[in-house]
Amino acid sequence: MSQQQKTYFHMMAKPSSFHCNIKCEYCFYLQKEQVLTHRINSMTEQTLENYIKNYIDAFPGERIDFMWQGGEPTLLGLDFFKKAVTLQRKFAGTKQISNSFQTNGIALNRQWCEFFKENQFLIGISVDGLEDVHNKYRISINGQPTFDRVKHAIELLKTYQVDFNTLTVVNDRNWHKGKETYQALKSLGSTFMQFIPIVEVANYSLQRQDFNPGKNYRMTPFSVPSEGYGQFLLDVFNEWIKEDIGHIFINMFDDLLGQWLGFPSSSCVHQQTCGKSMIVEANGDVYSCDHFVYPAYKIGNVNRQSLTQLVNSPKQIKFGKAKLETLTKQCQKCEVRHFCHGGCPKHRIVPLKGEQFKQNYLCPSYQLFFRQSAPLMSRMRDIIQQGGTAREIMNMLFR
């Protein structure tokens, strides 16, 4: 396949699979032990080499980001990632390589931080902002709270001047505490924030080959209410916009502002179609999406096929187009559809009377946030188009 025919895509690697050094009650990936057929605890050096060479060869751009996640990737040890960096340099050619690394922070020490700084890794650290919320669900294997250990890890990252962002789960305990959560993250020193909603079905058989909950689905107790994610985002937005534009960066807000300025969403959640964000498991198996690691969505293996073939395979193309082709009629007529595009297909679990397809569980949240933020977003767009700065935006919005 020629360079012109290659497709831009993104890979997330899970070299430790579902294995982790803590036991978060709301973690959907810990359950993959019952789904995955392989029993490989960690990625071998041969699979690592095949993956890195395959990704570099298949990716058409000049800048490639390797995203390491889990489970918990630090379980593989520092030498594994030193080897990864060595292999990246071996196969990079003229391409520029960057690395992102999502961790719970428990195992971080000075050696890890020195390595991250030396090799310019961007670290995503999972912390739920408020100590009591964090310690409710993010507990150690022996049931102990982890907030203080994560706080220490963040201090280490700051000491070594390692770039990091925080990833916060929005759940049943904090959806109504957006302002407090935001202020807590600021006090920890986070200037780049991500907020992800927990939407998990309780009565779904993990032995199934695919994901298709029935009409009698029940949500897990820790799931965010259907309108709760939107309320959380709106509360954070109303705090952020007062004094933090240009100083604190929140991916959801940056992405939405980009859409107001005429750019497509950078997030697969709010793109018209999906299928360009795949994951590779510890044994090299490639799945259509991080949220669809079920046998029906396995599309190949990096040890046997090129990623170019996999991302352009009929099965993966069909998976990506299904997001657009399975919108409900209600969704198709919605006035915020051009921002939302139906959200993540994994969250389309709500049956509607007279509809062939299912509605997104978070539809009330998206309706709330996109509508309520629209007046200020439109004003920000106008100010930016006139050449205004972040400080000028805040002054003009609230004068």
Side-chain angles (χ1 to χ4, degrees), residues 128-130 168 170 173-187 193 195 228-244 250 253:
D128 286 349
L130 296 167
T168 299
V170 184
R173 293 296 182 110
N174 64 358
W175 66 267
H176 55 297
K177 298 179 179 179
K179 176 181 177 180
E180 299 92 328
T181 302
Y182 178 62
Q183 296 297 345
L185 291 168
K186 283 177 64 175
S187 71
M193 303 177 189
F195 300 107
Y229 183 52
Q231 186 61 60
F232 180 93
L233 290 175
L234 196 58
D235 290 345
V236 173
F237 180 77
N238 289 334
E239 285 299 299
W240 169 80
I241 205 165
K242 293 176 184 176
E243 58 183 26
D244 292 329
I250 299 172
F253 303 163

Side-chain angles (χ1 to χ4, degrees), residues 170-171 175-176 197-199 223-235 360-369 371-372:
V170 184
N171 55 57
W175 66 267
H176 55 297
I198 281 291
V199 178
S223 290
V224 66
S226 61
E227 196 175 70
Y229 183 52
Q231 186 61 60
F232 180 93
L233 290 175
L234 196 58
D235 290 345
N360 195 306
Y361 171 83
L362 292 174
C363 177
S365 282
Y366 295 138
Q367 293 266 358
L368 175 67
F369 178 64
R371 292 177 192 273
Q372 293 293 319

Side-chain angles (χ1 to χ4, degrees), residues 43-65:
M43 187 176 282
T44 65
E45 283 196 12
Q46 187 59 62
T47 297
L48 175 66
E49 180 169 347
N50 291 343
Y51 166 56
I52 288 173
K53 185 177 187 303
N54 199 337
Y55 193 9
I56 292 173
D57 288 345
F59 192 79
E62 289 302 309
R63 298 179 64 90
I64 307 174
D65 181 57

